[in-house]
């Protein structure tokens, strides 16, 4: 059986197309072919933007915004091409799980392998076909069903000053109250796109099992405004200033462990549960914290006579994300905290 990934739409053709990326079943394990939806909305000259949601299955905010994009945007509104992969991890999305049924993490599969299992072949299709075709990559995430990150756009930080500046400006076009920065090291989808020289914008759009209306509105308004900012979608670009909003807060969440963490499977490893039990949140994400301040506490259901154990911030800055599912295990990552950073300092980094 052929293991070649097939795409049912012609990415070089104009107009509105909807089809699938077909991943033949793994020959060693059997099973079924996997179909991943893909669409193209193209019209004349202009940039190519790749928009993706559902990198992790239980992150639905971006999936809904991407599906709406396919339905609501007509070719006449586009200059160039918008390629949309609205639900990357299709089986995980249906099952409301973060990871694929095989237990693998799509966002840890890059640059992929054309001869590997389905998940690696799909990552290779992104790396070898979709990224080279794109000028801009927008990959939408949230904290999934067990955490909450204050809704925002964010970005990895490339070394190239021109690429960095373009990414900062595109990130800011989301018009969220916060933006944060994460490292460029890793085998994540945005890291691979950034290494290929693309303008990369990513998000964390809340999380938990209910999507607030305001968050879904931000997903849509931010996505479409970024598309206008890069010249792919008609309409006037709006800014926080034109909306009457104060400047966004920029938070540096780059750490030595090479990642900002994942609320779904663990946040920054320095902020871990000191005990097992039930986690009570004391501070909502988006608020400032000072070093040593408790952001939550853990109660012991096994011994109710024990006092709760505080989970303290290791730094002064902003609490950006928390695990919100109360049961926790000792050593489990719980929180994402970063320090504010000046925009001009970021742009001037060597």
């Amino acid at each position: 059986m052929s293991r070649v990934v097939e795409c049912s739409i012609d990415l070089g053709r104009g107009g509105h197309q909807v089809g699938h990326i077909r991943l033949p079943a793994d020959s060693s394990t059997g099973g079924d072919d996997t179909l991943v939806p893909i669409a193209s909305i193209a019209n004349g000259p202009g940039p190519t933007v790749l928009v993706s949601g559902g990198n992790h299955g239980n992150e639905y905010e971006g999936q809904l915004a991407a599906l709406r994009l396919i339905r609501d945007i007509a070719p006449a509104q586009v200059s160039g091409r918008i390629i949309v992969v609205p639900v990357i991890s299709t089986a995980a999305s249906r099952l409301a799980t973060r990871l694929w049924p095989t237990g693998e993490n799509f966002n840890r599969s890059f640059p992929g392998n054309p001869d590997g299992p389905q998940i690696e072949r799909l990552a290779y299709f992104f790396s070898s076909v979709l990224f080279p075709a794109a000028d801009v990559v927008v990959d939408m995430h949230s904290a999934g069903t067990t955490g909450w990150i204050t809704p925002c756009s964010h970005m990895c930080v490339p070394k190239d000053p021109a690429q960095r500046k373009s990414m900062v400006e595109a990130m800011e076009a989301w018009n969220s109250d916060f933006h944060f920065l994460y490292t460029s090291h890793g085998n994540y989808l945005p890291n691979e796109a950034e290494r290929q020289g693309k303008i990369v914008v990513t998000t964390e759009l809340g999380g938990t099992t209910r999507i607030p209306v305001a968050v879904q509105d931000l997903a849509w308004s931010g996505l479409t405004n970024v598309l206008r900012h890069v010249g792919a979608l008609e309409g006037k670009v709006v800014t926080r200033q034109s909306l009457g909003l104060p400047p966004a807060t920029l938070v540096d969440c780059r750490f030595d462990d090479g990642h900002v963490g994942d609320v779904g499977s663990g946040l920054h490893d320095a902020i871990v549960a000191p005990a097992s039990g039930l986690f009570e949140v004391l501070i909502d994400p988006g608020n400032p914290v000072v070093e040593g301040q408790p952001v939550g506490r853990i109660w012991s259901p096994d011994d109710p006579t024990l006092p709760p154990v505080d989970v303290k911030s290791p730094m002064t800055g902003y609490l950006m994300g928390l695990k919100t599912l109360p049961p926790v295990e000792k050593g489990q990552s719980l929180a994402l905290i970063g320090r504010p950073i000046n925009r001009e300092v970021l742009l001037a980094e060597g």
Side-chain angles (χ1 to χ4, degrees):
M1 178 183 294
S2 171
R3 290 163 57 84
V4 175
V5 175
E6 301 173 351
C7 182
S8 67
I9 66 173
D10 182 355
L11 296 175
R13 200 180 84 193
H16 194 288
Q17 304 175 76
V18 179
H20 290 92
I21 304 165
R22 179 181 292 274
L23 305 169
D26 293 333
S27 57
S28 59
T29 59
D32 299 322
D33 291 359
T34 294
L35 296 178
V36 177
I38 186 170
S40 175
I41 312 165
N43 180 40
T48 292
V49 184
L50 171 63
V51 175
S52 60
N55 186 327
H56 296 117
N58 61 4
E59 299 174 355
Y60 295 105
E61 299 82 353
Q63 297 175 50
L64 292 170
L67 289 166
R68 181 178 174 183
L69 192 69
I70 295 171
R71 180 63 183 262
D72 285 8
I73 302 302
Q77 299 171 269
V78 173
S79 295
R81 176 175 51 171
I82 303 173
I83 301 170
V84 189
V85 186
V87 186
I88 296 173
S89 299
T90 51
S93 176
R94 288 192 296 270
L95 295 170
T97 60
R98 178 178 178 80
L99 307 180
W100 283 40
T102 56
E104 297 166 296
N105 187 333
F106 182 73
N107 205 35
R108 304 293 185 274
S109 302
F110 285 83
N113 181 354
D115 300 314
Q118 286 183 334
I119 194 168
E120 293 183 11
R121 282 180 277 143
L122 182 57
Y124 184 77
F125 182 80
F126 272 77
S127 298
S128 63
V129 177
L130 297 181
F131 292 163
D135 303 292
V136 181
V137 174
V138 180
D139 187 39
M140 294 178 285
H141 292 255
S142 75
T145 54
T146 62
W148 177 267
I149 295 182
T150 189
C152 65
S153 59
H154 54 29
M155 57 175 272
C156 49
V157 183
K159 293 181 180 180
D160 179 75
Q163 183 186 16
R164 186 189 316 148
K165 183 174 185 293
S166 294
M167 286 173 58
V168 168
E169 292 169 348
M171 174 183 70
E172 291 173 332
W174 211 282
N175 290 324
S176 51
D177 292 338
F178 285 87
H179 310 291
F180 74 77
L181 312 172
Y182 56 92
T183 183
S184 290
H185 306 298
N187 58 338
Y188 309 158
L189 183 156
N191 295 151
E192 177 61 28
E194 178 243 313
R195 283 191 288 266
Q196 293 192 25
K198 311 304 174 181
I199 299 171
V200 185
V201 181
T202 47
T203 71
E204 296 293 349
L205 294 167
T208 72
T209 56
R210 182 184 72 86
I211 305 174
V213 172
V215 171
Q216 204 58 58
D217 287 346
L218 178 65
W220 178 250
S221 64
L223 173 59
T224 51
N225 200 54
V226 170
L227 292 172
R228 295 185 185 101
H229 168 79
V230 299
L233 184 64
E234 68 177 9
K236 183 179 179 180
V237 178
V238 298
T239 64
R240 288 185 64 85
Q241 184 176 11
S242 71
L243 294 170
L245 298 173
T249 300
L250 184 61
V251 180
D252 192 349
C253 294
R254 291 172 288 177
F255 298 103
D256 292 339
D257 64 350
H259 65 286
V260 302
D262 292 309
V263 180
S265 61
L267 285 157
H268 177 49
D269 292 341
I271 310 168
V272 300
S276 298
L278 298 179
F279 182 48
E280 177 189 3
V281 174
L282 297 178
I283 300 175
D284 288 326
N287 283 298
V289 293
V290 298
E291 183 177 350
Q293 179 180 2
V295 299
R297 54 189 178 182
I298 300 172
W299 297 83
S300 173
D302 296 328
D303 187 352
T305 65
L306 292 175
V309 179
D310 287 341
V311 178
K312 298 179 180 180
S313 173
M315 67 183 74
T316 295
Y318 283 89
L319 175 65
M320 296 302 296
L322 276 173
K323 183 183 183 296
T324 56
L325 193 66
V328 298
E329 296 294 331
K330 183 177 181 180
Q332 180 179 3
S333 299
L334 292 181
L336 173 63
I337 297 175
R339 297 181 178 90
I341 183 173
N342 181 274
R343 183 182 191 274
E344 300 309 314
V345 170
L346 170 63
L347 293 177
E349 284 186 3

